Amino acid sequence: MEKVSLPKGTRDFGPTQMAKRLFLINSIKKVFQKYGFQPLETPAMENLSTLTGKYGEEGDQLLFKILNSGDFLKDVEAAKLETRNSKLITSDIAEKGLRYDLTVPFARYVVMNRHEITFPFKRYQIQPVWRADRPQRGRYREFYQCDADVVGTDSLLCETEIILMIKEAFASLGIADFSIKINHRAILSGLAEIVGAAQNESALFVAIDKLDKIGEEKVKEELKAKGFDDASLTLLFDILNFKGTTAEKVDFLTTKFSSSEKGKKGLSDFSEVLSLLKKFGATDEHVEFDISLARGLSYYTGCIFEVKISNVGVGSVSGGGRYDNLTAVFDSKEKSSGVGFSFGIDRLYDAMEELKIFPKEASAASTVLVAHLDEESFTFGLKIAQSLRDRNVACEIYPDQSKIKKQLEYADKKKIPFVIVIGSEEVKTGQLTLKKLESGQQLKLTFQEIADAMQLYK
Amino acid sequence: MEKVSLPKGTRDFGPTQMAKRLFLINSIKKVFQKYGFQPLETPAMENLSTLTGKYGEEGDQLLFKILNSGDFLKDVEAAKLETRNSKLITSDIAEKGLRYDLTVPFARYVVMNRHEITFPFKRYQIQPVWRADRPQRGRYREFYQCDADVVGTDSLLCETEIILMIKEAFASLGIADFSIKINHRAILSGLAEIVGAAQNESALFVAIDKLDKIGEEKVKEELKAKGFDDASLTLLFDILNFKGTTAEKVDFLTTKFSSSEKGKKGLSDFSEVLSLLKKFGATDEHVEFDISLARGLSYYTGCIFEVKISNVGVGSVSGGGRYDNLTAVFDSKEKSSGVGFSFGIDRLYDAMEELKIFPKEASAASTVLVAHLDEESFTFGLKIAQSLRDRNVACEIYPDQSKIKKQLEYADKKKIPFVIVIGSEEVKTGQLTLKKLESGQQLKLTFQEIADAMQLYK
């Protein structure tokens, strides 16, 4: 036998996983659609000129590149080839690469279609992306991203609706215990200003971002090494460590930010989001003002979000924020402010498995198997199966004349919950035997009674 | 501005197309699930050792290969590199390739998971595939395939259920005028036998397969050139040109096949499928016995299908057949007989566009836009929007304080059918103005009346 395997870091999703993944993805899709977001799909392959330089040097290394078709070496200069310098030769032999995220393809789509698009443009996109990263637990070379963005408006309504969508998605997934951490880039800038680090913002944000992972002491050390003095650090951690309700935090920062225009702007945006939330008739339950939330991506310019589920061993399952100019990488003239967020499908999946909250309906199994004892029963069963399908019940009839034991095993292994067993008695009387596999319970019912009962399990 | 473009032969699917594609794909998915087929997804990348040699020499050329990460030239022998022979070097610098179809990955999945799978295994798979083909009208380098297969049984029930599924899928898509052409490899073999071409089967099948395209005379020429004599050709076309009902065709062939065991076996299988169809309570409407249907793929061994829609300019939109051994390419010991078919998503899409039968619901637009004349109306509108969403109505509120004309234009361009216009009068009285954009019709209604009416448009 030829040995077959999967490429490192890639996965098959069999029926059981697929059913759960589809439940997850479809639940989120429904929420996106309810809020007016529209689906977009872009190709797996992009020109490397579209992708390169958008993810930093490390990102460029992690792009999967596609070898040109045909005689790809034909036009490579001999001298260049002799250097054996892979990096140098790559662009000669590979023009295309696999999508690394959904943001750059989205920006490309907006630039290419800006005359047809009606702004504000609300799109969602759920597709796999590929990264030539070293595979490890929870990190794959192919994984799905699930993004929603609005571009073409700076209304804070969008931020507020993101909060509503996250809450609604989690409600439909059955996730009850979670927090939506919110901060604002301008609040961070205000913080930098008042601790005298306005010129050194990014060092400050990078350090703060690690608080969760390495703790206060290590962050202080790092900042000291970068030239922060004791007075600044004391002031900084007085603010970062302030405990209180959201309103108390806002009040506290208002006094601190009396001399920082940026800080005031950030606070005012954040308060407006909370106010809009109330006007929508929603509460700020699950919303947490987290002054230490920085998020790595430097293109954020306004509100930033991050969502964590309590009591599970996965990191943040959703995040996002406002950016000033999505399409800047392609088009410096036209500004397209927007705000976006994404759900981490793999992490949400893991969290729901850990919490054991996937509903029973998240199954790919048929609802009913029609089993049969002889050929006459088989023939009789065909009509039964088809009548159930006519009533939208997912149904199979065992295809071969096999022992009843084998047929029941088939249902059991495939987790088909109900079996209708047909023998000569059933054919004669029309009274059918319905077996519930989980409990072993057996009932004699008419077809109509079975069909009615199955409506509950569709 | 940096010039951006899509790789040749690839496409973006914007909201309008996506809504139609999702309608199409979801309709088919529902049918698959109703008949007990379960979803499978495999990675976009496979090891080239899995893909190479499975699609003939031409297919190997059309595989997209992925450049190894890092210093890919490191281990290429200097002498080899100096040859500048691209073909020779490919396997040294590319280990992985993009999926070319869904059949080989499915076979790989079955081989790798054969101890966990419960047979008969019914899976469906709807994913893109990639081919480095020369792009032309209707032929893309990235396109979706949509396959369903049953492996692990040779029951003709499976063939019959495929007919039922095709009929049901087309009914749910609103395609009324189509034919499911059926033939059987053994009938073709019988035909070869009685015209004295048992040793030259494949030449015969290849020629017959072209009847549709090049006509009888050209096919005759081709066969003459391959050594067929006049008597054989007369007999052959007497059979191929026989007109009659399915029953008449079966009777006619029964007399012709009196000396061909293969021919008899083919006829008996075919008759059994028709008989099972009747036992399911279904008719043979749309089913057409087409003795000249050969289908190119040589791995078919039993019934073969092809579906054409009448009065549209696209080729066959679905096809399939029974094969003896799906996994033979990986595992010569274990035999896995099965039967599969697939829908051509792109062609079905084109056909439905041509017939103008995509339903209005196949839209990605929200059902309602809440428009507002001033800030007070905006605030009032937030609760209206959220209450509609609570009732599962897809709804947007215009995010900015803009002129009403701009807001209506937004709805119009996005094909949002209804707009609720809120001004100070509406805030005061609670009587809302509902505008139906298509007709311009305007009604004064309470929120509850609007919410009830929108249930019909969800």
Side-chain angles (χ1 to χ4, degrees):
Chain A
M1 185 186 129
E2 196 181 325
K3 217 175 131 193
V4 284
S5 64
L6 275 174
K8 273 199 304 210
T10 69
R11 298 164 287 174
D12 288 322
F13 297 115
T16 311
Q17 283 162 294
M18 274 304 292
K20 291 176 179 171
R21 287 177 68 87
L22 289 173
F23 170 77
L24 183 51
I25 289 171
N26 289 336
S27 302
I28 292 172
K29 253 190 206 174
K30 267 185 212 152
V31 176
F32 287 158
Q33 284 166 351
K34 213 201 264 189
Y35 283 76
F37 286 76
Q38 301 186 311
L40 172 72
E41 279 191 14
T42 64
M45 300 187 281
E46 294 277 355
N47 291 321
L48 275 176
S49 58
T50 300
L51 301 176
T52 309
K54 310 302 187 297
Y55 308 105
E57 207 176 314
E58 201 203 356
D60 286 350
Q61 303 287 328
L62 300 184
L63 290 173
F64 277 111
K65 294 157 192 99
I66 293 163
L67 198 57
N68 293 343
S69 310
D71 188 3
F72 54 85
L73 283 176
K74 201 180 54 182
D75 296 325
V76 185
E77 285 170 37
K80 215 172 185 181
L81 200 58
E82 268 162 36
T83 64
R84 298 178 67 93
N85 184 328
S86 295
K87 267 193 200 172
L88 211 63
I89 290 160
T90 302
S91 62
D92 288 331
I93 64 173
E95 277 170 9
K96 293 180 288 288
L98 292 180
R99 183 169 62 214
Y100 181 88
D101 73 356
L102 302 178
T103 306
V104 167
F106 174 51
R108 180 203 41 76
Y109 177 83
V110 170
V111 169
M112 282 177 66
N113 298 277
R114 64 192 181 289
H115 300 303
E116 288 79 47
I117 291 172
T118 309
F119 293 96
F121 181 44
K122 304 166 94 171
R123 85 89 173 75
Y124 74 85
Q125 190 169 355
I126 306 174
Q127 291 191 279
V129 301
W130 296 271
R131 297 182 183 179
D133 232 328
R134 193 178 298 275
Q136 59 184 51
R137 208 184 101 82
R139 190 204 280 162
Y140 304 99
R141 291 187 150 191
E142 171 180 78
F143 58 97
Y144 269 73
Q145 287 194 336
C146 170
D147 285 19
D149 288 79
V150 194
V151 286
T153 172
D154 49 18
S155 167
L156 291 164
L157 178 79
C158 306
E159 277 83 341
T160 314
E161 290 193 328
I162 288 177
I163 298 174
L164 292 173
M165 284 192 281
I166 292 170
K167 285 183 169 202
E168 202 163 323
F170 280 30
S172 69
L173 295 175
I175 300 170
D177 203 359
F178 64 95
S179 64
I180 307 173
K181 291 168 194 273
I182 304 190
N183 201 4
H184 195 293
R185 277 273 158 168
I187 291 176
L188 287 168
S189 293
L191 198 60
E193 254 178 39
I194 61 173
V195 304
Q199 305 309 317
N200 209 359
E201 266 196 358
S202 59
L204 179 66
F205 298 167
V206 167
I208 288 180
D209 214 22
K210 296 186 200 155
L211 256 178
D212 250 15
K213 277 175 210 142
I214 61 175
E216 185 171 328
E217 287 318 306
K218 288 252 164 83
V219 169
K220 274 184 178 162
E221 271 171 39
E222 189 176 317
L223 286 173
K224 263 187 192 162
K226 295 223 159 129
F228 284 73
D229 62 25
D230 281 344
S232 308
L233 289 178
T234 307
L235 179 56
L236 177 66
F237 280 91
D238 272 359
I239 297 174
L240 292 179
N241 289 330
F242 180 82
K243 302 270 176 277
T245 63
T246 295
E248 285 162 358
K249 283 181 189 168
V250 171
D251 287 347
F252 173 73
L253 279 181
T254 303
T255 60
K256 297 282 174 192
F257 283 163
S258 57
S259 65
S260 163
E261 286 312 311
K262 283 188 182 166
K264 280 182 201 164
K265 159 74 175 150
L267 276 183
S268 129
D269 275 8
F270 176 67
S271 302
E272 174 67 9
V273 169
L274 291 182
S275 149
L276 282 168
L277 205 54
K278 232 180 240 163
K279 288 178 182 166
F280 264 120
T283 70
D284 64 358
E285 201 193 353
H286 300 295
V287 176
E288 187 190 318
F289 183 13
D290 182 352
I291 313 168
S292 72
L293 177 69
R295 282 186 74 75
L297 291 168
S298 57
Y299 63 81
Y300 289 127
T301 52
C303 279
I304 45 182
F305 308 87
E306 205 165 274
V307 184
K308 284 200 172 138
I309 301 176
S310 314
N311 311 316
V312 292
V314 300
S316 71
V317 292
S318 174
R322 177 169 290 279
Y323 38 81
D324 252 358
N325 199 352
L326 173 76
T327 54
V329 285
F330 299 116
D331 183 349
S332 51
K333 278 175 298 179
E334 239 156 311
K335 278 230 169 187
S336 45
S337 172
V339 56
F341 74 116
S342 69
F343 287 107
I345 298 290
D346 285 302
R347 286 188 176 176
L348 271 174
Y349 183 99
D350 290 347
M352 290 180 66
E353 279 289 32
E354 202 177 324
L355 294 169
K356 296 191 174 45
I357 53 172
F358 273 112
K360 275 201 177 170
E361 312 88 79
S363 151
S366 300
T367 308
V368 179
L369 174 75
V370 177
H372 37 86
L373 297 173
D374 51 35
E375 210 177 316
E376 193 197 9
S377 314
F378 173 69
T379 302
F380 187 78
L382 294 174
K383 277 220 176 76
I384 300 291
Q386 208 53 17
S387 305
L388 283 171
R389 288 170 182 158
D390 287 345
R391 287 161 177 79
N392 273 318
V393 178
C395 174
E396 291 176 63
I397 175 159
Y398 198 80
D400 300 302
Q401 305 287 335
S402 301
K403 286 195 176 135
I404 189 73
K405 185 161 171 279
K406 194 171 175 195
Q407 300 184 49
L408 289 174
E409 267 174 19
Y410 173 86
D412 193 47
K413 282 190 190 153
K414 289 221 162 164
K415 299 209 165 37
I416 297 173
F418 296 98
V419 179
I420 298 176
V421 184
I422 301 179
S424 52
E425 188 61 25
E426 280 77 11
V427 175
K428 216 190 301 162
T429 63
Q431 284 280 317
L432 306 174
T433 306
L434 179 73
K435 210 174 153 76
K436 190 172 181 182
L437 285 196
E438 206 181 19
S439 62
Q441 192 189 3
Q442 244 174 257
L443 288 169
K444 284 269 178 197
L445 298 168
T446 63
F447 171 75
Q448 195 53 53
E449 288 166 338
I450 291 178
D452 291 344
M454 289 306 109
Q455 296 304 313
L456 303 172
Y457 294 91
K458 280 201 300 197
Chain B
M1 186 186 129
E2 196 180 325
K3 218 176 129 193
V4 284
S5 63
L6 275 174
K8 272 199 304 209
T10 69
R11 297 163 288 174
D12 288 322
F13 296 115
T16 311
Q17 285 162 295
M18 274 304 291
K20 290 175 180 171
R21 287 177 67 88
L22 288 174
F23 170 78
L24 184 51
I25 289 170
N26 289 336
S27 302
I28 292 173
K29 253 191 207 175
K30 267 184 212 153
V31 175
F32 287 159
Q33 283 165 353
K34 212 201 263 190
Y35 282 78
F37 286 76
Q38 302 185 313
L40 172 72
E41 280 191 13
T42 63
M45 301 187 280
E46 294 277 355
N47 291 321
L48 275 176
S49 57
T50 300
L51 300 175
T52 310
K54 310 301 188 297
Y55 308 103
E57 207 175 313
E58 202 203 356
D60 286 351
Q61 303 288 328
L62 300 184
L63 291 172
F64 277 112
K65 294 157 190 99
I66 293 163
L67 198 58
N68 293 343
S69 309
D71 187 3
F72 54 87
L73 283 176
K74 202 180 53 184
D75 296 326
V76 185
E77 285 170 35
K80 217 174 185 181
L81 200 58
E82 270 162 36
T83 65
R84 297 179 68 94
N85 184 329
S86 295
K87 267 194 199 171
L88 211 65
I89 291 160
T90 303
S91 63
D92 289 331
I93 64 173
E95 277 170 8
K96 293 180 288 290
L98 292 180
R99 181 167 66 211
Y100 181 88
D101 73 355
L102 302 178
T103 306
V104 167
F106 175 50
R108 183 207 33 79
Y109 177 83
V110 169
V111 169
M112 282 177 67
N113 298 276
R114 64 192 182 289
H115 299 303
E116 288 79 47
I117 292 172
T118 309
F119 293 97
F121 180 44
K122 303 166 93 170
R123 87 85 173 77
Y124 74 85
Q125 191 169 355
I126 306 174
Q127 291 190 281
V129 301
W130 296 271
R131 296 181 184 180
D133 231 327
R134 192 177 298 274
Q136 60 184 52
R137 208 185 103 81
R139 191 204 280 161
Y140 303 99
R141 290 185 151 191
E142 172 180 79
F143 58 97
Y144 269 74
Q145 287 195 336
C146 170
D147 285 18
D149 287 79
V150 193
V151 286
T153 171
D154 49 19
S155 167
L156 291 164
L157 178 80
C158 306
E159 278 83 340
T160 314
E161 290 193 329
I162 288 177
I163 298 173
L164 293 172
M165 284 191 280
I166 292 171
K167 285 183 169 202
E168 202 162 325
F170 280 31
S172 69
L173 295 174
I175 301 170
D177 203 359
F178 64 93
S179 64
I180 307 172
K181 291 168 193 275
I182 304 190
N183 201 4
H184 195 292
R185 277 275 160 166
I187 291 177
L188 287 168
S189 293
L191 198 58
E193 256 177 35
I194 62 173
V195 302
Q199 305 309 316
N200 209 359
E201 267 195 358
S202 59
L204 180 65
F205 299 165
V206 167
I208 288 179
D209 215 21
K210 296 185 199 157
L211 255 178
D212 250 14
K213 278 174 210 144
I214 62 174
E216 185 171 329
E217 287 317 307
K218 289 253 165 81
V219 169
K220 274 184 179 162
E221 270 171 40
E222 189 175 318
L223 286 173
K224 264 186 195 163
K226 294 221 161 130
F228 284 73
D229 62 24
D230 282 343
S232 308
L233 290 178
T234 307
L235 179 55
L236 177 65
F237 280 91
D238 273 358
I239 297 173
L240 292 179
N241 290 330
F242 181 82
K243 302 270 176 279
T245 62
T246 295
E248 286 162 357
K249 283 182 190 167
V250 171
D251 287 347
F252 173 74
L253 279 180
T254 305
T255 58
K256 297 282 175 191
F257 283 164
S258 58
S259 66
S260 164
E261 286 312 311
K262 283 188 182 166
K264 279 183 203 164
K265 160 73 175 150
L267 275 182
S268 129
D269 275 9
F270 176 68
S271 302
E272 174 67 10
V273 168
L274 291 182
S275 150
L276 283 167
L277 205 54
K278 231 179 242 165
K279 289 178 182 166
F280 263 119
T283 70
D284 64 358
E285 203 193 351
H286 301 294
V287 176
E288 187 191 319
F289 182 15
D290 182 352
I291 313 168
S292 72
L293 176 70
R295 284 186 73 76
L297 291 169
S298 57
Y299 63 81
Y300 290 127
T301 52
C303 278
I304 45 183
F305 309 86
E306 205 164 277
V307 185
K308 284 200 171 138
I309 301 176
S310 314
N311 311 316
V312 292
V314 300
S316 71
V317 292
S318 173
R322 176 168 290 278
Y323 39 81
D324 251 359
N325 199 350
L326 173 76
T327 54
V329 286
F330 299 117
D331 183 348
S332 50
K333 278 176 297 181
E334 240 158 309
K335 278 231 168 186
S336 45
S337 172
V339 55
F341 75 117
S342 69
F343 287 107
I345 298 291
D346 286 302
R347 287 188 176 177
L348 272 173
Y349 184 100
D350 290 347
M352 290 179 66
E353 279 288 33
E354 201 176 324
L355 295 168
K356 297 189 173 47
I357 53 171
F358 274 112
K360 275 200 176 172
E361 312 88 78
S363 152
S366 300
T367 307
V368 178
L369 175 75
V370 177
H372 38 86
L373 298 173
D374 51 34
E375 211 177 316
E376 192 198 8
S377 314
F378 174 69
T379 301
F380 187 79
L382 294 173
K383 277 219 176 79
I384 300 291
Q386 208 53 17
S387 306
L388 282 171
R389 288 170 182 157
D390 287 345
R391 288 161 178 79
N392 273 319
V393 178
C395 174
E396 292 175 62
I397 176 160
Y398 197 81
D400 300 302
Q401 305 287 334
S402 300
K403 290 200 175 124
I404 189 74
K405 185 162 170 277
K406 195 172 175 192
Q407 299 184 48
L408 289 174
E409 267 173 19
Y410 174 85
D412 192 46
K413 282 190 191 153
K414 290 219 162 164
K415 299 207 165 41
I416 298 174
F418 296 97
V419 179
I420 298 175
V421 184
I422 301 178
S424 52
E425 188 62 25
E426 281 76 11
V427 175
K428 216 190 302 165
T429 63
Q431 283 281 318
L432 306 173
T433 305
L434 179 74
K435 212 174 152 74
K436 190 173 181 182
L437 285 197
E438 208 181 18
S439 62
Q441 192 189 2
Q442 245 174 255
L443 289 169
K444 285 269 177 195
L445 298 168
T446 63
F447 171 74
Q448 194 53 53
E449 287 166 338
I450 292 179
D452 290 345
M454 289 306 108
Q455 296 304 313
L456 302 172
Y457 294 92
K458 278 201 300 197

